[in-house]
Amino acid sequence: GAVVSQHPSRVICKSGTSVKIECRSLDFQATTMFWYRQFPKKSLMLMATSNEGSKATYEQGVEKDKFLINHASLTLSTLTVTSAHPEDSSFYICSARGGFGRNTEAFFGQGTRLTVV
Amino acid sequence: DAKTTQPPSMDCAEGRAANLPCNHSTISGNEYVYWYRQIHSQGPQYIIHGLKNNETNEMASLIITEDRKSSTLILPHATLRDTAVYYCIVRGQGGSEKLVFGKGMKLTVNP
């Protein structure tokens, strides 16, 4: 399958600072990217959907000013957690889908473990 | 909200076939059935997807009932590395259609 790379895989930051997570599609052009978060022993929760060159669409309850998403190119999307607090500690996962086919599958990055201290 | 239901867990003996069920009784005509799995602390891995015909690839087979209200993912020869949480997801057509994850099913392959 296609390769989606996330960076960093693990980050620890101080409370009040901002953290940027990158998601890259390495061998295909990702027209749509999705960002998820996952708490321990829980399922993935969709945070937002972004299409290249457009503003992201956030799911209900997700603060768009806190979780800034940029999808400026067909191979890169970034998620910035602004003014991070300990409750933002979580596993963040991106997903990328290419093409405009009706049944194209999405591929996932390896995830980023964020710990806010 | 997830549109599928799966049993919370299942055990399987190594080398045997693992049959993972999924109910999606409210699926609509243009929605696909997708299967992903997640090994601990990794991103989900795509397995297979289908609309109404049975599908097979190098990882698994997907059997969809004629009324499309349920499906079964078959891992023909389970190995210890197949131990993971398996997610059955119904998704509409279109590139921006979301993948909404339910609780999934934990498959444990025992030696």
Side-chain angles (χ1 to χ4, degrees):
Chain A
V3 179
V4 176
S5 176
Q6 246 181 277
H7 179 79
S9 58
R10 190 179 294 267
V11 59
I12 301 173
C13 72
K14 290 185 177 181
S15 187
T17 62
S18 295
V19 174
K20 180 184 284 188
I21 301 169
E22 292 187 348
C23 178
R24 294 182 184 273
S25 56
L26 298 185
D27 52 2
F28 68 102
Q29 293 185 323
T31 51
T32 305
M33 286 189 171
F34 306 87
W35 286 94
Y36 296 81
R37 66 186 298 184
Q38 185 176 34
F39 293 107
K41 298 188 187 298
K42 299 293 185 182
S43 186
L44 285 77
M45 184 192 80
L46 181 65
M47 300 174 67
T49 302
S50 72
N51 292 300
E52 185 264 339
S54 304
K55 287 185 178 180
T57 301
Y58 290 81
E59 295 298 303
Q60 191 173 8
V62 178
E63 299 176 59
K64 62 180 181 180
D65 294 329
K66 179 166 186 62
F67 300 100
L68 302 179
I69 292 172
N70 184 282
H71 189 173
S73 79
L74 285 172
T75 59
L76 174 64
S77 177
T78 60
L79 167 68
T80 301
V81 183
T82 62
S83 187
H85 291 285
E87 57 265 30
D88 298 324
S89 297
S90 189
F91 191 52
Y92 292 87
I93 309 168
C94 73
S95 171
R97 176 181 293 143
F100 297 96
R102 295 187 297 178
N103 63 343
T104 51
E105 57 268 33
F107 296 96
F108 287 79
Q110 67 269 43
T112 297
R113 175 79 56 194
L114 170 64
T115 303
V116 185
V117 298
Chain B
D1 291 336
K3 300 174 66 174
T4 64
T5 55
Q6 300 174 254
S9 64
M10 177 181 287
D11 280 39
C12 175
E14 187 179 17
R16 304 296 292 269
N19 297 304
L20 287 65
C22 180
N23 285 321
H24 31 80
S25 58
T26 61
I27 192 170
S28 60
N30 63 351
E31 289 181 317
Y32 287 77
V33 180
Y34 282 77
W35 283 83
Y36 284 81
R37 71 181 182 184
Q38 186 178 27
I39 297 170
H40 183 62
S41 295
Q42 297 182 24
Q45 177 188 22
Y46 166 78
I47 301 174
I48 200 168
H49 74 279
L51 183 62
K52 48 185 167 183
N53 297 323
N54 297 338
E55 302 287 345
T56 296
N57 62 21
E58 65 277 4
M59 289 183 69
S61 295
L62 174 60
I63 308 298
I64 302 175
T65 58
E66 194 169 338
D67 63 7
R68 304 212 319 127
K69 292 185 177 182
S70 65
S71 61
T72 301
L73 178 75
I74 301 173
L75 307 179
H77 305 288
T79 70
L80 299 180
R81 287 179 292 183
D82 291 323
T83 293
V85 178
Y86 286 76
Y87 295 96
C88 169
I89 301 169
V90 165
R91 198 209 105 190
Q93 297 176 356
S96 297
E97 287 289 330
K98 300 178 285 192
L99 278 173
V100 178
F101 285 76
K103 296 180 180 179
M105 187 200 81
K106 177 65 183 295
L107 173 70
T108 302
V109 181
N110 300 305

